[in-house]
Amino acid sequence: MASTGRNTTFILLIILSIVVFLFLNMVLGSVRIPMSAVWHIFTGTGDEPQTWQNIIWKSRFPQALTALVAGAGLSISGLQMQTVFRNPLAGPSVLGISSGASMGVAFVVLFSGSIGGVALSHLGLFGEVALSIAAVAGSLSVMALIVFASHKVKGNVTLLIIGVMIGYLANAIIGILKFFSVEEDIKTYVIWGLGSFSRVSGNQMMLFVTIMAILIPLSFLLVKTLNLLMLGDGYARNLGLNIKRARVLVITCSGVLTAIVTAYCGPIIFLGLAVPHLCRAVFQTSDHRLLMPACLVMGASLALACNLIARMPGFEGALPVNSVTALIGAPVVASVLFRKRKNELMNKTATIQLRNLTIGYKGKVRPKIVAENICSDIYAGELTCLLGTNGIGKSTLLRTLSAFQPKLSGDIYLAGKKLEKYTDKALSTVISVVLTEKCDIRNMTVRELIGMGRSPYTGFWGKLSRADDEIVDKAIGLVNIHPLASRMLHTLSDGERQKAMIAKALAQETPVIYLDEPTAFLDFPSKVEIMQLLHHLTRETDKTIFLSTHDLELALQIADKIWLMDKVNGITSGTPEDLALEGYLSRFFARKGITFDMESGLFRITNNYRYEIRLTGHGYRYAMVRKALQRNEILANRDIDSAVYIETNRQPDQFILHFPHQEDIIVHTIEELLEKLTL
């Protein structure tokens, strides 16, 4: 409810800015007209000079109205392009449609002059009409090629490359036409390319506004389609969307809007590129039900502002609109690039950094040091598991990282900021924890527990807003515990309770989640389920998830990074595979009876073998017999040269034991085989 009111306020403020900018466009210019006179001209009251009336009705009003409509159309077109290609830098010109318009105009301005001696653009009103028709024809021709290509290629990236290549081809043709043209025609073309809202005359303006008044509402019919395309082709197809048809419709709609605006106003493309990003930043949503009207009004407002700047109030002449839109749009696009780069760097840089960290407990005489000189990093989008023997200090480290107990020395950096610089309130929005201790709470449902994760963001009474409820629902969905939502906490199993606590941590919406022995007291299937869930959440939410565990085998198979903690080396970190190849795993668990198998990537128990026996065969039957024999201190494989040997694969339900100078013994189970060997 709060977010809805906030968005409504923003929409109303933008509409108010449109009214203000529209009025300023009437008042300001090379000729100063008092506000009262403008008001009288609009209302038909008073007796204002005819010159002023002509300036308002024949120049400034058509120009402002053209800017308003063009800005709205280009912004919607840019939003559609960015959605269909899932590319933040896609815009109205991305498929070469504006280049097609430029090529059409180039043929009118440059080619007609070279052939006929007089360019069509020099023929007054007829020339202006010819320019518009040529721009529309060029744009629609390129768009037709793109639509045709969209039927032939599957990937958006391929289609994007085709569009870029068509744009390069159009620019190459324009360059050739320029080479063979006279200076006057080239100047005319360059002026057209700079863009202007004043090029549209009264009659043309009405036609332009009428066309756009039809196209813009039609584009709103694609709101649902755009929301589905945003999910990706797989999810969209699963939800009943015809991907190919949807892509053609969106590209056609965006292309026609771009073509019409470019034909009448020139290639003013930056508004369509920048406005969708501004709307996403202001309204903080990706829902096109809100983004479409937001882009419409914001695009209109910015276009009016650009037109006002281009007219340079108080000065003769006007700046090129394309330059002004670039001055406004380029910083926006640059900020998107920097933000994207920053996010990429954040993904590659450490969320948590430990520098010469010493942990332990402060004593009366001297502190008890548990571990010291810890230097390591934890990364976003990765599941990191802390391994170590009992008493090594895993829980102490987690408590220190969570700010539950003070460090003895060193530094802990959280998102580039020292941990002690965070207030308790601020820390609750950055770190969430899942502890081993059970919450023995009765008469509380799972949903109520998860809702408590919203406490850092709620008011005095902790009442959840509609937005909070949506976040709770999302957390329940991510952990997939919808059937448990209405259950009482005390009725849950240990595994179910852990899932509920993880959902509570997700509802807290922190970038970092710490878990202390999350698989303790769980059966093996539940352990696997919890670990797979946590690994999935790192990918789904790009969170930093760090946990301690004793489940060595699971950690080696599921974790992205492993921290090995011991007294001698402190903390050694890396992927399970790198730690294995570099010998850290073998040395870390170098105990009697435990060895690391490089072939399987897992640990196995070693035995003191009583004797050896040759084992023939292959597949799972061979592997199971070998495993049973090793457990009984008998080394068995194909390379052993022994008089007695076992055959595992002659018959699917038989194991054959061969003795020299004796009749073969046939058994049907491994248990029987072991009994015969021990006789």
Side-chain angles (χ1 to χ4, degrees):
M1 187 66 73
S3 61
T4 303
R6 172 179 168 275
N7 292 334
T8 303
T9 302
F10 280 134
I11 290 287
L12 292 175
L13 288 174
I14 297 171
I15 293 174
L16 179 62
S17 72
I18 292 175
V19 175
V20 173
F21 284 138
L22 185 62
F23 190 72
L24 290 176
N25 271 270
M26 300 299 104
V27 174
L28 301 177
S30 57
V31 177
R32 184 180 178 276
I33 302 176
M35 291 186 182
S36 58
V38 173
W39 178 256
H40 291 154
I41 292 172
F42 266 96
T43 58
T45 60
D47 187 19
E48 304 300 337
Q50 188 63 41
T51 304
W52 287 1
Q53 295 186 39
N54 289 337
I55 290 174
I56 294 296
W57 291 118
K58 295 184 178 181
S59 177
R60 293 184 182 180
F61 182 73
Q63 190 173 345
L65 191 58
T66 300
L68 187 151
V69 175
L74 281 177
S75 300
I76 290 174
S77 174
L79 177 64
Q80 291 174 332
M81 284 294 183
Q82 290 170 14
T83 300
V84 75
F85 290 108
R86 294 192 288 276
N87 187 334
L89 297 180
S93 65
V94 70
L95 296 178
I97 295 171
S98 60
S99 297
S102 299
M103 185 176 65
V105 172
F107 271 104
V108 172
V109 176
L110 304 175
F111 189 68
S112 63
S114 301
I115 299 299
V118 179
L120 292 176
S121 59
H122 298 169
L123 301 179
L125 179 61
F126 179 78
E128 292 292 328
V129 173
L131 283 180
S132 299
I133 294 174
V136 172
S139 302
L140 295 181
S141 298
V142 171
M143 192 189 71
L145 286 174
I146 296 298
V147 171
F148 174 78
S150 67
H151 285 286
K152 301 296 182 181
V153 300
K154 294 182 179 180
N156 288 333
V157 176
T158 304
L159 187 62
L160 191 63
I161 293 172
I162 292 173
V164 172
M165 292 301 104
I166 291 174
Y168 280 130
L169 181 62
N171 289 328
I173 294 172
I174 294 170
I176 294 172
L177 292 175
K178 284 182 179 179
F179 183 80
F180 291 103
S181 300
V182 298
E183 184 178 348
E184 185 180 358
D185 292 341
I186 295 174
K187 183 179 179 181
T188 302
Y189 174 76
V190 170
I191 291 173
W192 177 89
L194 293 175
S196 175
F197 294 128
S198 62
R199 187 178 294 122
V200 184
S201 61
N203 293 330
Q204 288 180 311
M205 185 268 293
M206 293 305 300
L207 178 60
F208 173 66
V209 172
T210 302
I211 294 173
M212 296 300 289
I214 297 171
L215 292 176
I216 290 176
L218 286 176
S219 66
F220 276 73
L221 299 176
L222 297 173
V223 165
K224 183 178 178 181
T225 299
L226 291 168
N227 276 340
L228 292 175
L229 286 172
M230 184 175 58
L231 299 174
D233 291 354
Y235 287 114
R237 188 177 290 108
N238 180 252
L239 293 170
L241 186 68
N242 186 319
I243 300 298
K244 184 174 289 187
R245 184 174 63 188
R247 188 167 60 170
V248 169
L249 286 174
V250 174
I251 291 173
T252 302
C253 180
S254 177
V256 171
L257 286 171
T258 302
I260 299 299
V261 174
T262 305
Y264 282 93
C265 305
I268 47 173
I269 60 174
F270 262 106
L271 283 176
L273 190 60
V275 170
H277 294 297
L278 284 175
C279 290
R280 293 189 185 97
V282 171
F283 294 93
Q284 297 181 355
T285 183
S286 296
D287 190 347
H288 288 77
R289 292 175 298 179
L290 178 59
L291 281 180
M292 287 284 278
C295 284
L296 187 150
V297 294
M298 185 169 287
S301 178
L302 282 181
L304 287 171
C306 290
N307 186 56
L308 191 63
I309 296 170
R311 293 229 312 271
M312 300 174 62
F315 297 90
E316 295 291 335
L319 292 173
V321 172
N322 203 9
S323 300
V324 177
T325 57
L327 287 173
I328 294 177
V332 176
V333 176
S335 68
V336 172
L337 286 171
F338 281 123
R339 187 165 62 247
K340 184 179 179 183
R341 177 61 179 164
K342 183 180 178 181
N343 291 336
E344 290 175 352
L345 291 173
M346 284 297 293
N347 290 336
K348 293 182 179 181
T349 57
T351 307
I352 301 159
Q353 298 172 301
L354 311 184
R355 296 294 179 263
N356 299 316
L357 178 65
T358 299
I359 60 174
Y361 305 91
K362 294 182 179 180
K364 294 181 179 180
V365 180
R366 58 183 179 181
K368 179 184 178 183
I369 297 175
V370 175
E372 57 186 341
N373 299 324
I374 301 173
C375 296
S376 197
D377 301 328
I378 308 174
Y379 296 85
E382 293 183 346
L383 177 62
T384 304
C385 291
L386 174 64
L387 301 177
T389 57
N390 288 329
I392 198 64
K394 298 190 300 296
S395 296
T396 304
L397 176 59
L398 273 173
R399 287 195 298 270
T400 306
L401 295 180
S402 307
F404 291 168
Q405 69 178 62
K407 64 182 188 300
L408 296 182
S409 64
D411 294 307
I412 303 171
Y413 293 93
L414 180 58
K417 181 179 176 181
K418 287 187 176 182
L419 185 64
E420 58 267 25
K421 298 294 183 181
Y422 286 88
T423 63
D424 291 340
K425 179 71 173 178
L427 204 60
S428 68
T429 63
V430 182
I431 296 175
S432 55
V433 298
V434 179
L435 307 173
T436 52
E437 60 190 59
K438 296 182 180 180
C439 292
D440 190 16
I441 306 175
R442 295 186 176 269
N443 300 321
M444 177 180 284
T445 65
V446 170
R447 183 179 182 82
E448 289 171 339
L449 171 72
I450 297 170
M452 294 181 70
R454 299 301 301 161
S455 295
Y457 312 98
T458 56
F460 180 79
W461 293 107
K463 184 179 179 181
L464 301 185
S465 66
R466 181 177 296 179
D468 292 322
D469 287 329
E470 291 175 355
I471 293 170
V472 170
D473 288 335
K474 183 180 179 182
I476 291 172
L478 285 170
V479 186
N480 195 23
I481 54 172
H482 292 288
L484 305 179
S486 58
R487 291 262 305 273
M488 293 293 175
L489 278 176
H490 69 275
T491 67
L492 302 181
S493 66
D494 291 337
E496 291 170 339
R497 186 180 286 106
Q498 280 293 62
K499 288 183 180 180
M501 299 307 295
I502 292 170
K504 181 191 72 66
L506 290 172
Q508 199 171 332
E509 285 196 316
T510 59
V512 177
I513 301 177
Y514 294 139
L515 303 99
D516 188 14
E517 296 285 348
T519 58
F521 315 115
L522 303 182
D523 57 32
F524 186 73
S526 298
K527 290 176 186 262
V528 175
E529 188 179 8
I530 291 294
M531 291 293 288
Q532 288 179 332
L533 169 64
L534 293 172
H535 187 266
H536 171 73
L537 289 174
T538 59
R539 301 293 191 268
E540 187 77 14
T541 63
D542 198 40
K543 293 183 183 295
T544 303
I545 299 182
F546 182 76
L547 62 91
S548 66
T549 182
H550 284 106
D551 293 311
L552 175 64
E553 299 284 6
L554 284 178
L556 292 178
Q557 294 182 67
I558 296 176
D560 297 300
K561 292 285 181 63
I562 296 291
W563 280 23
L564 299 176
M565 187 175 183
D566 64 18
K567 294 287 186 182
V568 178
N569 301 312
I571 289 180
T572 306
S573 63
T575 67
E577 295 75 19
D578 285 331
L579 293 177
L581 291 174
E582 294 170 11
Y584 288 109
L585 291 178
S586 298
R587 291 193 295 272
F588 189 81
F589 294 97
R591 302 180 181 180
K592 185 179 180 181
I594 303 176
T595 59
F596 183 77
D597 189 348
M598 293 293 290
E599 292 185 2
S600 64
L602 300 172
F603 287 89
R604 61 179 176 85
I605 299 173
T606 58
N607 298 294
N608 295 319
Y609 299 114
R610 293 181 288 118
Y611 58 88
E612 302 175 349
I613 191 169
R614 183 159 62 95
L615 181 67
T616 66
H618 55 83
Y620 67 93
R621 290 173 60 82
Y622 172 87
M624 289 297 102
V625 172
R626 183 169 178 261
K627 178 176 177 292
L629 293 173
Q630 288 177 339
R631 187 177 67 252
N632 286 271
E633 301 178 349
I634 302 172
L635 179 62
N637 58 56
R638 302 180 189 90
D639 301 323
I640 294 174
D641 186 15
S642 63
V644 179
Y645 70 95
I646 301 170
E647 192 175 355
T648 61
N649 291 111
R650 182 185 293 183
Q651 297 292 333
D653 60 342
Q654 294 180 356
F655 303 100
I656 304 175
L657 182 59
H658 298 274
F659 290 97
H661 313 298
Q662 295 183 23
E663 187 176 350
D664 296 341
I665 299 175
I666 300 174
V667 297
H668 300 281
T669 66
I670 296 177
E671 184 179 4
E672 291 179 290
L673 179 65
L674 294 174
E675 289 176 354
K676 297 296 182 182
L677 284 173
T678 56
L679 292 177

